[in-house]
Amino acid sequence: MTKRIAPRARFSASWAGGVIALISITSLVMGGVSANDPSGGAFAAPSRATEALSLLGQDPYTVSGGELNLEVSISSSLSEPTDNVVITAQSSVTNRAAFTRVVNGTNTGSVLDQVEIALTALPSPGGSARAISLTLGAAGALALPALSAPGVYPLTIALEQANGQVRESFTTFAVVVEGGLFASPVNNEPRLAVAWVWPLVAGPAELPNGSADPAVSAAALPTGRLGRQVSALSRHLDIPITISPGPETVTARNTSPLRSGLLAVAARAQVLAGPYVPVDIPSLIENLLSGIADNELATGNTALSEYFSSPPDIRTALANPVSPGALTLLRARGTTRVAISNSALVNGSRSVPTAPFSLKITPPAGVNETTISAVASDDGIANLLTGASPVLSGQLVLAALALNAYASEGAAKGTVLVNPFDLDIPEETFSTILNGLRNHPLLKPVTLESFFSEVPAVQTSTGALETRELTTYSPPAPPVKASALNATANRVLALQTFIGSDAREVRTANQWLLRAPSATFTEAAGQARARRSLKDAQARVTAALAQIEIPNPGTITLTSENGSIPLTFRNNLDQTVRVRISLASEKLSFPTGSTQELELPPANTTVRIPVQARTPGTFVLRLNVASSDGLLIIAVQEFKVRSTAVSTIGIILMIGAVVVLAAWWILDARARRKKRREKTAVAA
């Protein structure tokens, strides 16, 4: 049924004032404005309007027979006083496919009602804003009586010239419900549980030269991508939500503007653990880098625990992307439930709305099959966040959630909404949704933890827990070679064993290592930055080892056969370390062994190594200093040793030679005397 109303006969100045007053009251009750929301609720206008016609605010739902209040912006420079605003209601949508067709403008359904209002008759709360109030499901001065049954109705708002030509239009949805503010609308069943997960993460915040990444710094400002999200959340602390903060992102020095708001949000929200930087865990595992993947999760958990002064929830994880290997790793770290994208599931469209189910983890050959509790996020609704009009995008999300509530057909189900990783939208969109979720009769905002506990798991017709399977995911290669990542990881781990995991040098080297496989490092520029991150990690290890100073090369003099060589080491680290020294020389022997372990506390340590010279002269002594496990070579040095001592054997040989020589001389002298006597006797 099409109905056109002559608005001038119905709009008077007193009626306009009544609309403004009604909108003010409705925005307080239905928009749910609280002390945490100074913006004025769903009717807060954006700073400027760039379109001829745009949506500034709308009631998130309307009780059948009640008033639907809208506020639109109409540009005076793009309209004429003789223009009209035409509101057309179409038949309700009953499934996601029909909803999508309306949003895409390919099908708006049959027309149920239509109202035409002169532009000059619309009351203005100020500026370009115009207020509209319509009675739904009942007769009235401005009414859409056909919208009486509960449902989600497309509502097209058009700015038309006097000749009927449309200047501009947009389509929103009117959500009609039965009963009072807190009534259960669907056959007295519970409201649809809505778990909204906010990944608050960016790429690595520090550049290889040590300076802050300007893009991350900008994102953390109050007007930046992350700053706007934290601002919206901090003004709606009464709405249960789940955040997944990037550990490297929030702990970086250039993201400090986020801190106060984020701490306030975390005190009321569920905080999920996650990798230190955004990484593709399936890619790491497939490339035999599961140790680095585990390190990402462990370091991320530690960083968030220190930042928030309490540990994040490791039992619940946001797994995107996901693979059986990634799920196996998460289970090993204590995760018992995951949220995954519905596109990662076989027949993922079955997951709208969703409820917990059992997700099969297909193991390698020879390993028993396991499962994990899971829910599927609604990617279709998440895609609505990035529309061109901020408030309209928020209203579309609320309408899609309401449609899910009606589509659940009395079953206890819910919707998991996960913001895109790099979401960059105006704060008005977030505020529109958060205000709309407050006291909504169809929707119940919950944390992800509450979602798992409150929404019954899906069961088969036989009563068994429904088991779902993942689609095949082919991950990309890491941004740097796996061999380079493993080699650097081994050196960082060896340094950790050498000086302790809490050492500043170890933590810094590990952070550079973990930045290298960031999923944000794509294409040539990103891959070059990833390689530089690995070089920085290696450089940090080398710099830490350089804090162990070994004796300067020089000449050591031995004045006796058995002596000792003094070696002075200086440890400039804050920790006591154990080193292994190895000595080698062709002319020296080492009575206590050529390899020894030494304990080096901070500052200087002098040790004397017993030696025995095999021969006098000048020769080379080689000193090799390594970590106690031999995995890190700290230094290799050569010394000159001059021995002026004569050995005992040498002395014995010399004495023996003298004795032999003396005996020979005596015998020779006697022989000569005897010969002379014999010659004398013959002559006589």
Side-chain angles (χ1 to χ4, degrees):
M1 178 178 67
T2 301
K3 181 178 180 182
R4 301 189 68 84
I5 300 176
R8 290 178 177 81
R10 303 181 186 275
F11 266 64
S12 64
S14 61
W15 186 93
V19 169
I20 296 174
L22 179 61
I23 289 176
S24 299
I25 295 172
T26 306
S27 65
L28 287 171
V29 176
M30 301 180 72
V33 180
S34 71
N36 295 322
D37 183 17
S39 67
F43 294 96
S47 58
R48 59 189 177 91
T50 58
E51 304 162 303
L53 176 69
S54 61
L55 183 65
L56 299 183
Q58 177 186 341
D59 290 341
Y61 66 91
T62 301
V63 176
S64 181
E67 300 288 334
L68 169 63
N69 298 289
L70 303 100
E71 190 171 301
V72 296
S73 172
I74 299 177
S75 172
S76 59
S77 62
L78 299 175
S79 62
E80 297 292 340
T82 56
D83 287 352
N84 300 312
V85 173
V86 179
I87 303 170
T88 304
Q90 290 91 32
S91 55
S92 64
V93 294
T94 57
N95 55 61
R96 177 62 62 83
F99 182 91
T100 302
R101 287 195 296 270
V102 172
V103 172
N104 294 338
T106 57
N107 184 5
T108 56
S110 59
V111 174
L112 296 180
D113 260 325
Q114 192 175 69
V115 174
E116 181 180 300
I117 312 169
L119 177 58
T120 54
L122 289 176
S124 175
S128 63
R130 296 292 185 271
I132 304 172
S133 182
L134 302 169
T135 300
L136 303 186
L142 288 175
L144 297 172
L147 275 62
S148 58
V152 180
Y153 296 86
L155 208 63
T156 299
I157 316 294
L159 178 64
E160 293 186 0
Q161 301 180 47
N163 61 7
Q165 184 175 352
V166 176
R167 292 186 186 273
E168 194 164 339
S169 68
F170 64 83
T171 298
T172 182
F173 289 84
V175 177
V176 180
V177 302
E178 289 181 338
L181 189 63
F182 298 99
S184 296
V186 187
N187 300 325
N188 293 321
E189 291 293 334
R191 293 176 292 168
L192 183 84
V194 178
W196 195 356
V197 184
W198 297 56
L200 301 173
V201 61
E206 191 169 339
L207 295 173
N209 61 9
S211 63
D213 187 320
V216 178
S217 300
L221 294 175
T223 56
R225 177 177 70 83
L226 297 175
R228 294 195 299 273
Q229 295 184 59
V230 172
S231 175
L233 289 173
S234 63
R235 293 189 297 106
H236 299 83
L237 295 177
D238 59 315
I239 305 298
I241 54 94
T242 300
I243 61 174
S244 180
E248 197 264 358
T249 299
V250 300
T251 58
R253 65 181 186 277
N254 56 321
T255 60
S256 58
L258 297 174
R259 183 173 178 82
S260 60
L262 193 54
L263 291 178
V265 172
R268 303 285 294 272
Q270 180 187 8
V271 181
L272 301 184
Y276 184 66
V277 300
V279 293
D280 189 321
I281 291 181
S283 171
L284 294 178
I285 293 175
E286 184 168 298
N287 287 275
L288 305 180
L289 297 169
S290 57
I292 290 181
D294 186 72
N295 189 1
E296 290 277 1
L297 294 171
T299 303
N301 183 37
T302 299
L304 291 181
S305 297
E306 294 175 353
Y307 184 83
F308 292 114
S309 299
S310 62
D313 181 6
I314 63 171
R315 297 170 302 165
T316 312
L318 184 60
N320 185 27
V322 64
S323 69
L327 294 176
T328 300
L329 175 61
L330 289 171
R331 275 179 58 94
R333 293 198 57 80
T335 299
T336 59
R337 53 205 181 195
V338 295
I340 64 174
S341 168
N342 66 343
S343 62
L345 288 170
V346 176
N347 297 323
S349 60
R350 289 170 44 202
S351 303
V352 180
T354 191
F357 54 87
S358 181
L359 181 60
K360 182 188 297 185
I361 304 176
T362 305
V367 180
N368 292 332
E369 184 178 282
T370 57
T371 60
I372 191 170
S373 183
V375 291
S377 64
D378 193 325
D379 296 346
I381 294 183
N383 291 336
L384 296 173
L385 290 166
T386 54
S389 175
V391 176
L392 180 58
S393 296
Q395 288 298 143
L396 293 180
V397 168
L398 290 170
L401 291 172
L403 179 62
N404 276 0
Y406 283 125
S408 63
E409 299 178 350
K413 290 188 176 182
T415 294
V416 176
L417 177 62
V418 179
N419 292 344
F421 157 77
D422 55 351
L423 185 63
D424 188 4
I425 60 175
E427 188 176 337
E428 289 94 339
T429 302
F430 298 123
S431 294
T432 297
I433 301 170
L434 290 167
N435 285 329
L437 288 174
R438 184 181 286 124
N439 298 329
H440 198 296
L442 291 173
L443 311 173
K444 179 185 179 182
V446 297
T447 63
L448 201 52
E449 180 181 23
S450 297
F451 192 99
F452 276 99
S453 61
E454 295 180 10
V455 179
V458 182
Q459 294 182 340
T460 65
S461 57
T462 62
L465 193 64
E466 182 183 43
T467 300
R468 305 288 300 276
E469 294 186 32
L470 292 172
T471 59
T472 301
Y473 172 60
S474 299
V480 285
K481 291 182 178 180
S483 58
L485 275 167
N486 266 329
T488 305
N490 289 337
R491 281 182 60 80
V492 173
L493 181 60
L495 182 66
Q496 175 180 317
T497 303
F498 181 46
I499 63 177
S501 58
D502 292 332
R504 180 185 67 258
E505 294 82 359
V506 171
R507 299 184 68 162
T508 303
N510 193 48
Q511 288 165 1
W512 281 110
L513 166 68
L514 298 181
R515 290 184 181 111
S518 171
T520 62
F521 289 160
T522 58
E523 301 179 349
Q527 292 166 4
R529 185 171 170 184
R531 291 192 296 271
R532 181 61 188 272
S533 294
L534 278 190
K535 289 182 180 179
D536 281 347
Q538 292 273 17
R540 301 287 176 163
V541 175
T542 302
L545 298 179
Q547 298 301 305
I548 307 297
E549 298 178 10
I550 66 172
N552 293 324
T555 301
I556 301 171
T557 301
L558 294 176
T559 58
S560 63
E561 176 188 3
N562 294 305
S564 62
I565 295 177
L567 298 176
T568 299
F569 299 86
R570 180 170 181 81
N571 177 9
N572 294 313
L573 296 168
D574 296 329
Q575 303 83 17
T576 297
V577 298
R578 292 188 65 82
V579 298
R580 178 190 298 174
I581 64 170
S582 299
L583 300 164
S585 175
E586 296 179 355
K587 304 296 184 179
L588 289 176
S589 59
F590 306 95
T592 58
S594 60
T595 299
Q596 300 183 29
E597 284 199 9
L598 305 177
E599 188 172 272
L600 304 180
N604 291 338
T605 299
T606 299
V607 295
R608 304 188 72 86
I609 307 298
V611 297
Q612 188 176 60
R614 298 193 183 104
T615 181
T618 301
F619 36 84
V620 174
L621 171 65
R622 294 180 182 84
L623 171 65
N624 186 308
V625 183
S627 56
S628 59
D629 56 12
L631 296 178
L632 294 173
I633 303 300
I634 298 173
V636 176
Q637 191 65 275
E638 289 189 351
F639 302 87
K640 285 185 178 180
V641 178
R642 178 182 297 116
S643 175
T644 60
V646 179
S647 67
T648 302
I649 295 175
I651 294 174
I652 293 173
L653 291 175
M654 290 175 62
I655 294 173
V658 170
V659 170
V660 170
L661 182 61
W664 175 84
W665 181 80
I666 293 171
L667 292 174
D668 183 69
R670 288 179 177 178
R672 286 198 300 270
R673 285 197 298 271
K674 183 178 180 181
K675 286 181 179 181
R676 284 197 298 268
R677 286 196 299 268
E678 290 176 350
K679 287 180 180 181
T680 302
V682 171

